[in-house]
Amino acid sequence: MTEKTAQKTAIVTGAARGIGLATTKQFLAEGRRVAMIDRDAEVLMAEAGPLENVLPVVCDVSQPEQVAAMIDEVAEKFGRIDALVNNAGVADFGPIEETTFERWRTVMATNLDGVFLCSQAAVPHLKQVQGAIVNIASISGLRASTLRVAYGTSKAGVIQLTQQQAAELGEYGIRANCVAPGPVRTKLAMAVHSPEIIAAYHDAIPLNRYGSEDEIASVIVFLCTEKASYVTGQTIASDGGFQSTGVGLPALRV
Ligand SMILES: NC(=O)c1ccc[n+]([C@@H]2O[C@H](COP(=O)([O-])OP(=O)(O)OC[C@H]3O[C@@H](n4cnc5c(N)ncnc54)[C@H](O)[C@@H]3O)[C@@H](O)[C@H]2O)c1
C-alpha cells in the first residue's frame, strides 16, 4: 500500500455546518482524510478552506448522478473509502393535512433517498477495506410525535435501512449503524424549535439540556472505528436519556 492510500478516510455528508462539521473535525483529529459533502457550496468552501486533509465536494445527496460523480471523485482522490457518514438532513414540521406531497417528497429525497444513494454508490469501495456506514436518524424516528409525519417517517426509514444494510453487507465485513440524536442547537433544529418546544424538551430530557454537536459526533466517530468492530445493525440514541424515559407523566414526578 502506498503512503497515499495507507491513511484512513471518511465521507461526511452535510459537512458544511452543525453535526456534520463537528464530525469532520473529529475525524481529522483522529488522523483521517475527510471528504466534506454538502449542497451549500458557499458555506462548504468557507468552512473547508482553513482545514487540512479535506476534500470539499459540492453535491446534492438526493440526486443520483451527483452522488455517483461525488463517490467517483472521492475514490479517485483518496484511493480508499473507509467510512461513510450519511448525515445530510432537512427538517420540516407540520400537521398531516398541511404537509403537501411536495413537502413530503423534499424531506424524503434528502433524508431517505440520500442515505440509500450514497450508501449504494460507496459499497464497492467500502467492501475493499471492510468499511463502516453510520446513518444519522433522530429520536423522531424512534417514536411518533405530532408534526413529524414526513420527518419522523423519513428517520424511521433510516433506522430500518440501517438494519437492511447491516444484514446484507455484513458478509463483506461492512458494518452499518445508526445514531439517533436528541435536540442539538443547530440551524436545522432552531428553524423548527420554538421557545415552547425548547422548554418542553428540557423538561422531558433527564439530562435537562440540549446536546452539543461534538457529543453527537463522538458517537458517530466511535462507530466508525475498530473500537466498534463487533457492532452492526444498531441504533444508538445520543439524546440525554429522552428515548429511555418515554412520555413523562407530571403526576409521577418526585
Ligand atoms: N439538530 C438536531 O436537533 C437534530 C436532532 C436529531 C437529528 N438530527 C439530524 O442530524 C443531521 C444533521 O443535522 P444538523 O442539525 O447538523 O443540521 P444543519 O442544518 O445544521 O446541517 C445540515 C447540513 O446538511 C446539508 N444538506 C441538507 N440537504 C442536503 C442535500 N440534499 N445534499 C447535501 N447536503 C445537504 C445542509 O446544507 C447543511 O449544511 C440531520 O440528518 C438531522 O436530521 C439533528
Side-chain angles (χ1 to χ4, degrees):
M1 208 177 271
T2 66
E3 188 59 31
K4 183 184 170 234
T5 56
Q7 193 180 5
K8 284 196 173 179
T9 71
I11 296 176
V12 180
T13 71
R17 64 178 195 228
I19 294 166
L21 183 58
T23 303
T24 296
K25 290 178 178 173
Q26 288 196 20
F27 273 131
L28 292 174
E30 291 251 316
R32 295 200 190 212
R33 288 169 292 163
V34 182
M36 298 174 69
I37 314 305
D38 210 287
R39 67 178 173 189
D40 188 336
E42 199 178 327
V43 180
L44 178 66
M45 293 310 171
E47 291 295 340
L51 300 175
E52 285 178 17
N53 288 319
V54 296
L55 172 66
V57 182
V58 179
C59 168
D60 183 333
V61 299
S62 70
Q63 301 300 315
E65 301 80 15
Q66 291 186 35
V67 169
M70 176 273 285
I71 295 289
D72 283 352
E73 181 178 345
V74 175
E76 161 74 19
K77 296 258 170 63
F78 282 174
R80 58 188 288 165
I81 298 173
D82 296 272
L84 168 67
V85 178
N86 286 305
N87 165 78
V90 294
D92 180 355
F93 292 178
I96 289 172
E97 287 176 286
E98 290 172 22
T99 300
T100 61
F101 183 60
E102 191 185 0
R103 284 173 69 182
W104 166 272
R105 274 306 310 150
T106 299
V107 172
M108 293 300 164
T110 289
N111 292 8
L112 194 50
D113 299 354
V115 177
F116 169 75
L117 291 169
C118 291
S119 303
Q120 187 183 52
V123 160
H125 304 284
L126 293 169
K127 271 181 180 176
Q128 292 173 27
V129 289
Q130 303 206 316
I133 297 171
V134 174
N135 300 320
I136 310 308
S138 166
I139 49 171
S140 294
L142 287 166
R143 95 286 180 240
S145 64
T146 53
L147 308 183
R148 287 154 173 81
V149 61
Y151 184 77
T153 305
S154 74
K155 294 302 191 179
V158 168
I159 291 167
Q160 176 64 22
L161 177 54
T162 305
Q163 292 176 332
Q164 295 294 147
Q165 291 171 337
E168 204 174 306
L169 302 176
E171 68 174 291
Y172 307 113
I174 298 173
R175 296 179 300 104
N177 290 292
C178 187
V179 175
V184 179
R185 288 175 189 272
T186 62
K187 199 168 175 182
L188 173 145
M190 288 306 103
V192 287
H193 289 191
S194 63
E196 292 75 23
I197 292 176
I198 293 171
Y201 265 126
H202 277 255
D203 193 48
I205 291 172
L207 292 182
N208 196 28
R209 62 176 175 84
Y210 274 42
S212 71
E213 288 91 335
D214 268 328
E215 287 176 309
I216 311 302
S218 57
V219 179
I220 297 169
V221 171
F222 161 73
L223 287 170
C224 291
T225 65
E226 276 297 301
K227 289 177 184 166
S229 56
Y230 202 50
V231 182
T232 193
Q234 296 303 304
T235 295
I236 297 184
S238 181
D239 67 350
F242 179 86
Q243 165 66 14
S244 66
T245 50
V247 178
L249 298 179
L252 292 177
R253 293 249 168 90
V254 286

